[in-house]
Amino acid sequence: MASKSTDKIEVEPVEYRDPTLLIPTSTPSSQGDVAKEDEEEEVDPKLARRVKWKLDLFILPLMSSVYFFATMGKSDLGNAKIAGLTEELNLSPGDYSNAATMFLVSTVIFQLPGTLLIKKIHPNRQFSGAMMTWGFLTAMTLLVTNSGSLLALRFLIGGAEAFVQGGVFYLSFWYQYSEYATRGAIVSSMSTLAGAFNGLIAYAIVKDLDGANGWRAWRWIFLIEGIVPIAFSFVVLFLLPSSPQHLKWGFTEEEKKHIIQRSARAHNTAEPRIKYTQIWKVMLDLHFWLFILISCGGSFCQSSLSNFLPDLIAGFGYDDVNAQLFTTIVYVCGCVGILFFSRIADKTNARGLTMAASTVGAVIGYAVLIWVKHRDVRFAATCLVAFSIFPNSVLQLTWGTMSFIGYTRRGSVLAFFNIFPHLFAISGNQAYQDPPYYSIGNAASLGMSIMMLVSSVILRWYLGYLNDKKKANQFSQHAAEMREKSIEDIGDHHPDFYYTT
C-alpha cells in the first residue's frame, strides 16, 4: 500500500480501488488518498455474512423470477411453432423468422431507456409494469389469425421485455465485484431453466390440451404463459427493493449502512444523474468494441438456438412431442454451464481466460452439427453448444460492469451490450432458414464462436496493456489533472482505477 512519502512508488494493478480514491483531489499526488484504503473501518465478518445472505434472500429469487418469466415470453414462440402455429396460420419459414426478428427489433429500440431509467422509475415499478404488459400481450396472442397480427404482437412484447433487461445493472447496485458473476449467473441461469420449463409445459399441453375448447395447443401455450407473469408482477412490485439508499424494511440500520458501503465499493453513486454526453463517449474506447464483438457473437448463437431449438431437435428425427421434451435436456446443460463458468470466473478472477475457455465447446459443437448426421451425436453436440454458449452473456455482462464505472457510463455500456448484439441476433434468426439440418445457420454460428474466442484473448491482453500504461503514468502531470475530475466525468479512465483481466 502506498505511503504518504513523495518518493515515486510502484502501484500494482488490482481489480478495483476504494472509490474514496476516485474523487477530485487538490494536489497532483493521490498518495494521501491511497492511504485512506488502510484507514477504512473494518467490518464485522458476521455482519458482512448476514448482509450478503439477506441480500441473496431478498433480491436473487425475485430477480431470478423476473428473468425466468421474461425468457418464457421470448422462447415460447419456438415451442408454439411445432405445436400447430405454423400450420394454422399458414406461416412460411420466412414468416416465422420475421416474427422472431420483430421481438429483437423492439428490444433494440427500447433497450437504452429501459436501462438508464431504472433508478428514475424505480426497479420494482419498472420490472413489475413490464411483466404486466408483456403478460397481457402474450395472452392476447391466442387471438391472432395471420402473420401480420403475430408480428405486431411480438414487436410489442419485445418492447415491454426491454425494460427488464437491465437486471444485471440492477444487481451491480447491491453486489461487490468478487460476488457479481456468481449472482449474475444465478439470475441468468433462469433463462435456461425457463427454456426447459417451456419445453415441459409445451409437452404437457400438446399431449393433453391440443384440441381442448376447439383450440390448437399453441393457443394454450400463449394463454398460460401470459397469465403467470401478470400474477407474479404484484410480488415484484411490493417486495423488490429499489436501491441501497431506499431500503425500507427487512434490514437494521447497521445493515443498511453496510449495504451502502458495499455499493460504493462497486463504484455506485448514491444519487446518479444521467450525463447524456457520456452515453456516446463509450464508443470511443477500443475495449468497448472488443466487448461488443464478444456479445454480438454470443447473442447470434443464443438467440438462434433458443428460437429454433425445438425445430432443430425435430430435424434430428424425433417426433414433435418428444422434441418438446428433449429441449429440456439442452436447457439444463446450458444452466449447468452458466453456473460452472461463472463460479470459476469469481473464484479465479481470470475473466478473459474463463470467457475464452467457455467458448471452446461451442466451436467443437457447431463443427459436429455441420459435418455429422448421426441423430444422437448431433443431439449431444447441441447439448455441448448450450453448455458453452449460454454462459457467454453473464460472463461478458459482469466483466463489462467491472470495466466501466460511473452511473451513465456503466448503464449505457450495459444497454449497448444488448442493443448491438440484438442486431446480430436478428441476422441469426434469418440465417436459420434451411431445415432440417440448418447447415448455413450452424456454419454462421461456428464463425461467431471463433470470433468470440479470439476477441476474448485480445481483450484480456488489451486491458492488461491499459493497466500497464496507467501504472507507468501514475505520477505524470496528465494523471494529476485527471484526478481533479470525478468518476462520473471520466469513469474507468481515472488513473487510480485498474481493469480486471
Side-chain angles (χ1 to χ4, degrees), residues 163-175:
F163 282 82
V164 302
Q165 297 306 311
V168 174
F169 185 34
Y170 170 75
L171 288 181
S172 73
F173 303 163
W174 304 93
Y175 289 103

Side-chain angles (χ1 to χ4, degrees), residues 274-282 284 408 412 488-489:
I274 297 175
K275 291 181 174 284
Y276 293 98
T277 57
Q278 291 292 330
I279 294 175
W280 311 109
K281 280 187 177 179
V282 296
L284 301 177
T408 304
S412 300
E488 288 299 321
D489 293 323

